[in-house]
Structure formats: structure tokens, C-alpha cells
Amino acid sequence: MRILITGGTGFIGRHLVPLMNQHQLMLIGKQKVSFDQSNLQYLNADLTVPEKWKKQVINFSPNACIHLAWSGLPDYSLSKCSKNFGINMQLLDLLIKTECKRIFIPGTCWEYGDLQGEVGEVDLPGTTNLFASFKTSVRLIGEWLTNSKPIGLVWGRIFFVYGDGQRPDSLIPSCYQSFMCGNKPEIRAPNCVNDFIHVSDVAKAILALIETPAISGIFNIGSGKPTKVVDVCEIIANSLNTKNLLPEFENATNTSELWANTSLIRKVTNWRPQYTIQTGIEKTLNDLQSK
């Protein structure tokens, strides 16, 4: 397939693109490209300036698109979300005009709002934050735009992804840095229960979804396993032999529990996560130590 990818040099994209040697790729991005792949053409352009990329995309005539880009994270402000919303609408409009047949867009597990426990794609969301509300708006408008056309819009609700390339202030990199400096990490919500999934598994899930013909709709992308934040911290401490630096969590309260029901994506694509929380953290620590 000819696949257009935005955000290909970002956290998830850097793990996804090397898996796609069997496809002809066009990447749009602002960062320096380090991929050495003959099947890839890179368009250095800002998505907010459509005159820099629209003509090239039309000429490329993609069969599919993986639209990972959402600029400015972790800025979830109204102005940043509004800007990204406009970019999404412009790109969707162009993809429909070029008769692109498959479109993958990542959502977020925050779309489930204040629901607790295991959640599935058919569950009605609770109260959501601003970022999740904008993501939901993109999905709903995208579904409306593609409803009467031969286009498969695939929406991947990604849960708590981690791994090589994650922001330094994220849970695992920040814990690692604290332990290596001989400090106790600051953990705000140790008893929160999340669904942690390694970025390599997320990349493979996206590839499985875009390569599966005649599908559309919402798909959870998670490990399907609930894990406490404190357990993640303990795995890191055990791996680094720094258990003496673990903070005390006796008085901590549990503020949320959220993990994915992954039966739908497993049924449709046969995808399964390859990393457990233990092996995934060990892989992440090895990557951090090799830098």
C-alpha cells in the first residue's frame, strides 16, 4: 500500500515506521529523519501550512493514512487543542478527496472519562477532560464524513504507553533518573491502577489494524492488564537494586482504575501484546541505560 504517515518521527512513529518495509511510505514532519529505508519519502513540512504538503499528498495518492501527529503535547490547553482540531479537519478533507481507503487515527483512553475498571469500546464514556473531548469530536466528525464513502476509519484508543523515546518526565524515565541519582522518586498517585502497554506493542497493533482489510470503528489498544503505579515503581527499583530508595506509600489513596478490554482487536486482527509489564519495563530500562 501507499501509506501517508504524520507524526512518524514521534514517540510511537519511530517504532512503527521500521516495521513497514513492505509498504510505500510518505512521511510528513518537522523533525530530522533518521530512517534509512528505500521505501520512504520524507516531506519536511508543518501541517499547519497546508500549501507546503497538500500538492505532494495529492500526487502521492495514498491508499491509507496513519495520522499520529498531535503537536504540543503535553500541552492540553484550549488553544493547542483547537489548533490540532483544525489540522485534523484539513487532513480528513484532503484524504476523502484523494479517495484514501483506510485512515487510522489514535484516540486516548481518557475518552472513557471517569469510568472505572475494565472498559470496552461499547461502553458509554463518563465526564471527559478537554483533550479527550477534542479527540472525540475528531472521531465523530470523521465518522460522519466517511460514513457514506468506501473509507475505513479506524480509531485506536491507546492506553498508558511507555518505552524508548517517552518524555523524560513520564513515570518510568523519571523513576529511573531518580533512582540512578540516589533519590526517592516523587509519585503522585501510587495506588492508581492503569493499563501500561509497551510502545512496540502499540506500533504492531496499529500496523495490524491498517493492514486488516474492510474494518472500521473503535479499537482499544492496551495490554488488557491492570497494574498499580506503585508496582511499576517497585519493578524499576528491583531491576536497579535500589529498593532502599522506594518511597513510603502507606497513606496513599486510590484515585482511579482503568484498563482495556482488548477482545475486539484480538478477534479482528489476531494481535497480542508481546511484552508483560515486567519484560516491558526491563526493555525500557535497558534502552535508557544504553543512551
Side-chain angles (χ1 to χ4, degrees), residues 59-112:
N59 291 336
F60 182 63
S61 187
N63 308 118
C65 174
I66 299 174
H67 176 40
L68 301 175
W70 187 281
S71 67
L73 295 177
D75 182 349
Y76 302 108
S77 65
L78 176 62
S79 60
K80 188 62 68 174
C81 286
S82 297
K83 181 179 179 180
N84 279 283
F85 179 82
I87 292 170
N88 275 263
M89 294 302 102
Q90 286 183 325
L91 182 60
L92 279 171
D93 180 62
L94 182 65
L95 292 172
I96 292 169
K97 289 178 179 176
T98 59
E99 299 183 347
C100 181
K101 300 302 182 186
R102 302 182 195 177
I103 303 171
F104 174 88
I105 302 177
T108 169
C109 62
W110 291 351
E111 292 173 64
Y112 288 109

Side-chain angles (χ1 to χ4, degrees), residues 63-272:
N63 308 118
C65 174
I66 299 174
H67 176 40
L68 301 175
W70 187 281
S71 67
L73 295 177
D75 182 349
Y76 302 108
S77 65
L78 176 62
S79 60
K80 188 62 68 174
C81 286
S82 297
K83 181 179 179 180
N84 279 283
F85 179 82
I87 292 170
N88 275 263
M89 294 302 102
Q90 286 183 325
L91 182 60
L92 279 171
D93 180 62
L94 182 65
L95 292 172
I96 292 169
K97 289 178 179 176
T98 59
E99 299 183 347
C100 181
K101 300 302 182 186
R102 302 182 195 177
I103 303 171
F104 174 88
I105 302 177
T108 169
C109 62
W110 291 351
E111 292 173 64
Y112 288 109
D114 55 8
L115 295 186
Q116 298 286 302
E118 183 183 63
V119 289
E121 294 86 350
V122 298
D123 290 328
L124 295 176
T127 302
T128 60
N129 61 24
L130 184 66
F131 172 65
S133 297
F134 268 93
K135 279 286 189 177
T136 298
S137 297
V138 172
R139 176 180 63 81
L140 292 173
I141 294 173
E143 289 174 348
W144 184 84
L145 290 171
T146 58
N147 183 50
S148 61
K149 296 177 172 58
I151 300 173
L153 178 63
V154 179
W155 190 264
R157 283 185 179 154
I158 300 175
F159 281 67
F160 297 85
V161 58
Y162 68 93
D164 185 33
Q166 193 176 18
R167 294 194 308 269
D169 60 348
S170 300
L171 176 61
I172 295 174
S174 63
C175 282
Y176 167 79
Q177 190 61 40
S178 293
F179 286 139
M180 295 303 289
C181 292
N183 300 321
K184 291 185 177 182
E186 295 184 9
I187 307 298
R188 292 187 297 271
N191 287 328
C192 277
V193 176
N194 296 332
D195 186 329
F196 295 95
I197 180 166
H198 193 271
V199 64
S200 293
D201 285 327
V202 172
K204 290 172 183 175
I206 294 171
L207 183 60
L209 287 167
I210 205 70
E211 289 184 337
T212 301
I215 65 168
S216 62
I218 303 168
F219 294 87
N220 282 342
I221 301 178
S223 69
K225 306 292 183 181
T227 303
K228 279 188 177 183
V229 169
V230 64
D231 293 337
V232 171
C233 191
E234 289 179 354
I235 291 172
I236 299 169
N238 288 333
S239 298
L240 299 176
N241 295 315
T242 55
K243 288 186 66 176
N244 60 304
L245 295 176
L246 278 171
E248 300 293 333
F249 297 126
E250 285 84 355
N251 298 322
T253 58
N254 184 357
T255 56
S256 67
E257 296 186 359
L258 189 71
W259 66 94
N261 182 316
T262 59
S263 58
L264 181 59
I265 189 173
R266 289 188 283 111
K267 177 182 178 181
V268 170
T269 70
N270 291 321
W271 168 85
R272 300 288 190 281

Side-chain angles (χ1 to χ4, degrees), residues 43-46 49-56:
L43 180 58
N44 184 248
D46 188 332
V49 187
E51 57 268 24
K52 297 290 187 180
W53 52 269
K54 271 194 172 184
K55 183 178 179 181
Q56 290 89 333

